[in-house]
Amino acid sequence: MPSLSSKLKVSLEVALALFAIATASANTTDTTDDAPQQPTIVDYTTSEAGNPFVDGWYADPDTAIYQGLYWVFPTSSYPYEEQTYLDAFSSPDLVHWTKYPNILTTQDVTWAKKAVWAPAPAFRNGKYYIYFGANDIQEGEPEQGVIGGIGVAVADSPQGPYVDAIGKPLIGTYNNSAQPIDQDVFIDDDGQAYIYYGGHGHANVAKLKEDMISFDTFEDGTTFKEITPNNYVEGPQMLKRNGKYYLMWSEGGWTGPDYAVSYAMADSPLGPFYQVDGTRILQQDAAVAKGSGHNGVIHVPGTDIYYIVYHRRPLSEDAGEHRVLCYDRMYFSEDGSIQPVKMLVKDNFDDGDMVGWKTYGGELDPHVVDNKLEVKSDTEDGIIVALDANFTVQTYDATIILSDSSNDVTTSAGLVFRVTDVTSGPSGAKGYYAGLSTAGRVLITILGGDGTTVFVEGVDIKAGIEYHVRVSATEDGVNVFVDDFESPVLVLSDTTYTQGTNGVAVFNTEAKFDNVTIAEAT
Ligand SMILES: *[C@@H]1O[C@H](CO)[C@@H](O)[C@H](O)[C@H]1NC(C)=O
Ligand SMILES: *[C@@H]1O[C@H](CO)[C@@H](O)[C@H](O)[C@H]1NC(C)=O
Ligand SMILES: *[C@@H]1O[C@H](CO)[C@@H](O)[C@H](O)[C@H]1NC(C)=O
Ligand SMILES: *[C@@H]1O[C@H](CO)[C@@H](O)[C@H](O)[C@H]1NC(C)=O
């Protein structure tokens, strides 16, 4: 029970947060709405209900806060000819997402045919804007009459329908060698709007007029100012925090595993940026995903809470366009620098879905019921429901609730880890399984090979009870903890398998799983 002083502290913090919200609305920055409705303050370490946070192939997300909701506007990630539309997503809490299909399609933009990319939202004068790239024009092509580049569309509501605002590209040429794609629109505290953009290794910034559909010039008379940092490839994103300007961008090739995000800081939206080589903050992780890049940022208004929203490629996917939407917490250090982002692996199923999990073996489909993953198997062959991960030395936590009491030792439910060859389910898989059985056992099975099982008997395991199971897989073996994380119930010294994916498994019974967390052990 919290003490009285901690209750007081909590209400003081709430009051301070409300005060911060009230004062933050004087002049909104970036693409935040002026509307009074503030979103719910969400304080997570990652997408606690699982990454990817929505289903489907999407990339290049940018964000906005409109009408008290968090919005994400991504590219639809398919072959160029099929990229003829944009979908959007909104959420009150970054957990439950509503999809708005076809907020903008090439039918509403006469000159756009394909490759509709990287929507950048902005709000001004009661209108919602989407800046987008289309047609993937190449250097020299505009001079031959090829039309394409960065367009601007406008709507009366965040979910559209958006219509072409000017009937032609806003930027339809290469200037300073920058391909006209990958735009970001940023409105500074003084009301000046900027567009940052550029592919093919060059980044430009330009000043947008108050009308948001035409340009102002800089003092030297130019429209496009080149601000390309070293290693820049594409995907610029401007963020302002405590008076400092952060230019974020993507490096590496978008189809490869090494796509990554770097940033540099400046005292002005036009630079110069202090670290011309940038500091890399997001990249692939051999345990989690590859090709992590092209980011947006969510700043929770009135707080110092930031999330980096980005796309990445699941480990087992190789097609360039197989990209998914994810977010993780982005922390700042006291000196204002951005700390490297750790892509965390969690799922509490609070979004009511199991996006990111796949089912192997078994005849019964698992579901999420009451924010828990419910998995059933009618046979001793069992079923595996697994993520697309590749952890080695790890701590794997989950809550397991067995549904039926049975004294049959063939019934059990538990966690699989360091698993490969999972396609046909438990019978063909290689890896480890740590399970609980209402027949009074905690067990570890070495899947594949001779299927060695070790177990302890006489453990009081009941149906309907939440057991917090922790697997600690080290370089020497496997430790299984149940509720007590000081002393393992079962230890197996075995190093047959050193890496592979994580999941849950059920044999000849039914169980529910919750609060999955997998972390590399250091
Ligand atoms: C951009 O580049 C095109 C093509 O070279 C050129 O005609 C145009 O004047 C440039 N625009 C500006 C504002 O510099
Ligand atoms: C808000 O922006 C306007 C320009 O749009 C500027 O004149 C004013 O000083 C700004 N107010 C604050 C509190 O920053
Ligand atoms: C899994 O990770 C290990 C070590 O980090 C690596 O050697 C291996 O190639 C990875 N396997 C897959 C399928 O990504
Ligand atoms: C999952 O975690 C949440 C938050 O810590 C907690 O409230 C809930 O009881 C947990 N559920 C289970 C089944 O462990």
Side-chain angles (χ1 to χ4, degrees):
M1 181 183 268
S3 68
L4 187 59
S5 66
S6 76
K7 270 188 202 157
L8 277 174
K9 184 161 168 278
V10 168
S11 50
L12 185 63
E13 275 168 9
V14 169
L16 284 172
L18 289 173
F19 175 73
I21 290 168
T23 54
S25 58
N27 259 351
T28 50
T29 59
D30 202 355
T31 46
T32 303
D33 197 343
D34 232 341
Q37 305 102 307
Q38 291 294 331
T40 309
I41 293 177
V42 284
D43 187 355
Y44 309 134
T45 60
T46 179
S47 175
E48 313 267 345
N51 271 323
F53 62 86
V54 293
D55 201 9
W57 302 127
Y58 291 101
D60 314 332
D62 200 354
T63 73
I65 293 170
Y66 290 146
Q67 301 178 345
L69 298 174
Y70 298 96
W71 288 78
V72 173
F73 297 89
T75 300
S76 300
S77 194
Y78 291 93
Y80 293 5
E81 304 296 331
E82 296 168 35
Q83 292 178 304
T84 57
Y85 66 96
L86 296 172
D87 297 338
F89 298 88
S90 78
S91 174
D93 54 7
L94 302 182
V95 173
H96 302 91
W97 294 91
T98 302
K99 176 174 166 175
Y100 304 88
N102 300 319
I103 62 160
L104 173 72
T105 77
T106 49
Q107 292 190 339
D108 300 317
V109 185
T110 53
W111 56 270
K113 305 290 179 217
K114 62 170 186 180
V116 176
W117 289 348
F123 175 81
R124 173 157 260 175
N125 303 329
K127 297 280 186 195
Y128 297 87
Y129 294 88
I130 288 285
Y131 297 78
F132 59 94
N135 298 356
D136 183 34
I137 55 164
Q138 303 296 306
E139 191 145 28
E141 285 185 347
E143 291 71 15
Q144 296 159 20
V146 179
I147 297 177
I150 296 170
V152 51
V154 64
D156 292 324
S157 64
Q159 69 270 30
Y162 287 84
V163 296
D164 192 353
I166 55 175
K168 59 180 183 183
L170 177 65
I171 307 174
T173 52
Y174 275 65
N175 296 79
N176 305 327
S177 304
Q179 188 191 22
I181 61 161
D182 278 10
Q183 51 294 321
D184 177 46
V185 172
F186 163 75
I187 303 176
D188 206 347
D189 296 331
D190 63 2
Q192 177 64 56
Y194 298 90
I195 185 166
Y196 296 81
Y197 75 93
H200 292 168
H202 291 270
N204 285 342
V205 59
K207 280 158 87 171
L208 285 166
K209 283 203 166 111
E210 175 79 20
D211 65 10
M212 298 299 273
I213 56 170
S214 60
F215 295 111
D216 257 335
T217 52
F218 296 110
E219 278 169 13
D220 64 2
T222 59
T223 302
F224 300 112
K225 177 178 162 62
E226 180 160 11
I227 49 161
T228 311
N230 288 346
N231 306 318
Y232 174 91
V233 173
E234 60 199 14
Q237 174 74 26
M238 174 51 63
L239 169 70
K240 188 179 189 183
R241 177 181 177 272
N242 293 345
K244 299 282 187 214
Y245 297 83
Y246 296 76
L247 178 68
M248 309 172 88
W249 66 88
S250 290
E251 302 180 352
W254 70 268
T255 56
D258 61 341
Y259 203 51
V261 174
S262 289
Y263 82 99
M265 291 165 71
D267 294 321
S268 128
L270 308 176
F273 294 93
Y274 309 152
Q275 317 96 327
V276 73
D277 282 329
T279 304
R280 190 168 275 200
I281 50 161
L282 179 70
Q283 58 199 311
Q284 67 173 329
D285 178 335
V288 181
K290 49 193 178 178
S292 307
H294 202 129
N295 71 295
V297 173
I298 291 174
H299 173 216
V300 181
T303 74
D304 200 31
I305 300 170
Y306 291 81
Y307 300 96
I308 186 166
V309 185
Y310 60 93
H311 74 242
R312 68 192 193 194
R313 189 168 297 105
L315 290 175
S316 66
E317 298 287 346
D318 289 317
E321 58 272 12
H322 285 184
R323 296 173 289 178
V324 293
L325 296 181
C326 299
Y327 70 85
D328 274 284
R329 184 73 171 259
M330 189 171 84
Y331 298 96
F332 288 80
S333 294
E334 259 175 43
D335 65 1
S337 58
I338 305 177
Q339 296 176 10
V341 174
K342 184 86 184 149
M343 298 190 288
L344 299 182
V345 178
K346 294 190 175 189
D347 202 339
N348 61 20
F349 306 101
D350 283 1
D351 52 3
D353 69 42
M354 47 180 289
V355 172
W357 296 79
K358 283 187 189 159
T359 304
Y360 303 98
E363 283 160 6
L364 304 166
D365 283 336
H367 317 267
V368 175
V369 180
D370 296 336
N371 297 342
K372 293 178 186 62
L373 178 64
E374 194 173 279
V375 185
K376 203 170 180 177
S377 161
D378 280 347
T379 72
E380 292 175 23
D381 290 339
I383 183 172
I384 287 177
V385 189
L387 293 166
D388 193 346
N390 180 31
F391 282 89
T392 55
V393 173
Q394 64 188 283
T395 305
Y396 178 8
D397 284 273
T399 304
I400 303 176
I401 307 161
L402 290 144
S403 301
D404 301 310
S405 304
S406 165
N407 280 327
D408 181 348
V409 295
T410 67
T411 70
S412 72
L415 310 181
V416 293
F417 48 99
R418 292 183 177 170
V419 171
T420 56
D421 302 287
V422 73
T423 327
S424 58
S427 54
K430 300 187 174 105
Y432 297 101
Y433 166 65
L436 308 182
S437 172
T438 46
R441 288 186 178 182
V442 175
L443 59 133
I444 302 172
T445 300
I446 306 176
L447 302 171
D450 59 5
T452 301
T453 295
V454 297
F455 57 86
V456 284
E457 277 185 296
V459 189
D460 188 22
I461 305 282
K462 289 195 174 67
I465 305 283
E466 293 173 4
Y467 294 102
H468 185 161
V469 175
R470 172 172 297 170
V471 166
S472 165
T474 68
E475 276 163 13
D476 306 318
V478 176
N479 306 276
V480 182
F481 302 83
V482 182
D483 291 337
D484 166 6
F485 308 123
E486 297 295 318
S487 16
V489 177
L490 189 56
V491 177
L492 173 67
S493 297
D494 183 89
T495 54
T496 312
Y497 303 115
T498 56
Q499 73 213 24
T501 197
N502 292 69
V504 303
V506 169
F507 297 86
N508 208 12
T509 187
E510 184 187 323
K512 298 187 183 79
F513 298 87
D514 201 358
N515 294 343
V516 168
T517 301
I518 308 151
E520 195 180 335
T522 44

